[in-house]
Amino acid sequence: MKNRSQFGERAAKVAKAEWPTLLLWSFLLSPLLIRLLADCRCSKTDLLVYYTLGISLLWLLAIRFVSGNQFKVHVYLLPFYLVASVDLFLVLNFGSRLTAAYLFIGLTNYKEAGDFLSTYGSSIITVLLVLVLCYGVGLAGLYGRTLYKSKTVLCFAIGALLVGYGVYFYKTVKLNSFGKSAILDLAAKDQSTPFGYLSQIGLTASLYTESKKYIKQRLESEVNITSTSDQPGIETLVFVIGESSRPHNWSLFGYPNVTPPNLDKETGVFKFSSMCTTAPYTSVAVPSLLSLEPIKHWDLIASTKSLVGIYRAAGYKTYWLSSQEVDSFGGIIPQIAAEAQNRQYFERSYDGALISAYEKIIQQGAGQKQAVFIHIKGSHFDYARRYPREFAKFTPATDSAKDRITANYDNSVLYTDWLLGTIIEQLKASQRKALLVYSSDHGENLLDDSRGLLGHGMGNEYDLSVAAFIWASGNLPQQLAQKLQKLDEREGQRISISSLPHTLLTITGISMPGYDSTHDLLSNDFVPSQCPYLLGTGYVPSFDFDVKRVAAE
């Protein structure tokens, strides 16, 4: 009892001395903690979140014991408090932390600041008031005080930080090899407070510098739409960009495991069993998937507006929802996202975290045309981290690495099926004339044969094949519905993901330079693709899946 009383007295004494510091800490940690609470509701919290929290506490501990004059220390930290307030605003309004994604958008879309301020003015004022209250009261409490200083605690905090960053960097190097990409990946994952903001700023600066030429050209490029159809047609277009999803593991394409049970039973689905990517890397495949330019003209793909900008210019309200992180592997994808009027990121969450934002978009769509682009993590490695526990339906037949990997991968496809089914059901409920396009960026190797290949980037029948389909609502105008039946003829034909933008222009009645009828799946001029692709820095003019498959066997 006496020990408990002494502990209580000591705790009260510490709280009396440290309350200003704890108040300031609470503000700096608030974006991280609020996001952590949200993650508990919509996704499994992974180790990276706990790592971020631990690193944040170590930084704050180092700040506390670096000097006894904490008033001066926190005055110097004012810029970090201002950035933390932006972080808090994003968490409260978009459910996302301040990362390179938003910093990049801010750099490239600063002209939209006026519209943004008018839309979110009251929320910005509220966050600033919280900042003034916490920071002002905290500084007032620290003014004139000299707090306990400890070199031992400071050295412990700095040492632990070095170990923490070192271990994660070692892990990154093991995955990506030593080099600039490993450093940028470490920066992308560092969302600690307050100094993790420097990592995000550094990453943004690196990405911006590397692609400055393309950014300038994209901003200056114009979309020249020559005409749009006056006939009633698609009111809501949803384009879901998958990740590392190959048709070999979809029952929709003949796989024995029922991986997409919802899509298997869905009417209005036009599937493509021989769809190929233009590159076995996300950074190249996604821009190509959203461009009218052929893959051999990469400079044009990188420097002109994408399908997102085209639909915006055509009068559609455009949205970009992403559960992908912005890092050194994203290339120009952040620039494409910046073409949308509304962007929202759900980094380090399951793909299902974006469903609530998607539902709001659909519910608010009355009286306007919508184009919603959704970039998901899908089946990106590590496959076991792509789905909640309740989707672990498939279990390995044996304890072999191949069986474990295949089971986890199949579960990730099952979760993607749930996501796509949920998106389709929401479109049905809206009773709007709708179209959903799904295409993965590339496929994946799963230790399929004697080569023992895992992942993508190799350029073979497993990572160049992609799962893809189009779904149309049952209430489309008869003329358009009949035109879409042409897609049934394309099911077994060899198609490149680069055909989808040309096809969508026809479906939505948009005419513009760059359209090529030989790539349009609805045109009688369509020519089956030779599946050209980029591998490394070299352009490969064609790819024969059948020959490759025979060679592999």
Side-chain angles (χ1 to χ4, degrees), residues 142-302:
L142 290 174
Y143 184 74
R145 291 193 185 199
T146 301
L147 299 179
Y148 174 68
K149 179 181 174 183
S150 172
K151 287 185 179 181
T152 301
V153 177
L154 177 63
C155 290
F156 164 78
I158 293 175
L161 283 167
L162 291 173
V163 171
Y165 282 118
V167 168
Y168 195 88
F169 185 67
Y170 173 74
K171 178 184 176 184
T172 303
V173 168
K174 279 190 69 176
L175 289 174
N176 307 310
S177 75
F178 181 77
K180 185 178 180 180
S181 62
I183 296 172
L184 293 179
D185 186 62
L186 177 65
K189 299 300 188 292
D190 184 15
Q191 292 186 16
S192 61
T193 187
F195 297 116
Y197 297 130
L198 294 177
S199 297
Q200 299 302 317
I201 292 170
L203 174 61
T204 305
S206 175
L207 295 175
Y208 185 85
T209 301
E210 284 185 0
S211 55
K212 190 175 181 180
K213 179 184 73 171
Y214 289 138
I215 291 172
K216 184 176 185 295
Q217 292 172 338
R218 290 183 80 89
L219 291 174
E220 293 176 351
S221 69
E222 295 183 0
V223 178
N224 182 21
I225 294 176
T226 54
S227 67
T228 55
S229 174
D230 294 330
Q231 300 298 317
I234 303 299
E235 296 172 316
T236 298
L237 166 66
V238 179
F239 198 130
V240 181
I241 304 165
E243 170 67 59
S244 305
S245 197
R246 65 186 203 173
H248 307 70
N249 291 65
W250 286 56
S251 51
L252 192 67
F253 302 102
Y255 186 56
N257 288 348
V258 184
T259 44
N262 294 301
L263 292 172
D264 283 349
K265 296 179 289 188
E266 192 64 62
T267 59
V269 172
F270 302 94
K271 57 186 178 181
F272 308 111
S273 58
S274 297
M275 183 77 83
C276 55
T277 186
T278 50
Y281 330 97
T282 301
S283 60
V284 176
V286 171
S288 173
L289 176 61
L290 300 176
S291 174
L292 295 175
E293 303 294 341
I295 189 61
K296 64 182 178 181
H297 294 152
W298 171 252
D299 283 352
L300 289 177
I301 292 174

Side-chain angles (χ1 to χ4, degrees), residues 66-87:
V66 73
S67 171
N69 189 346
Q70 286 292 291
F71 176 83
K72 183 184 292 186
V73 170
H74 285 276
V75 168
Y76 289 149
L77 290 173
L78 175 59
F80 292 95
Y81 281 93
L82 294 174
V83 178
S85 65
V86 176
D87 197 2

Side-chain angles (χ1 to χ4, degrees), residues 394-412:
F394 301 104
T395 56
T398 70
D399 196 39
S400 70
K402 185 182 187 312
D403 283 352
R404 291 198 308 271
I405 286 170
T406 301
N408 290 333
Y409 187 87
D410 287 352
N411 288 328
S412 72

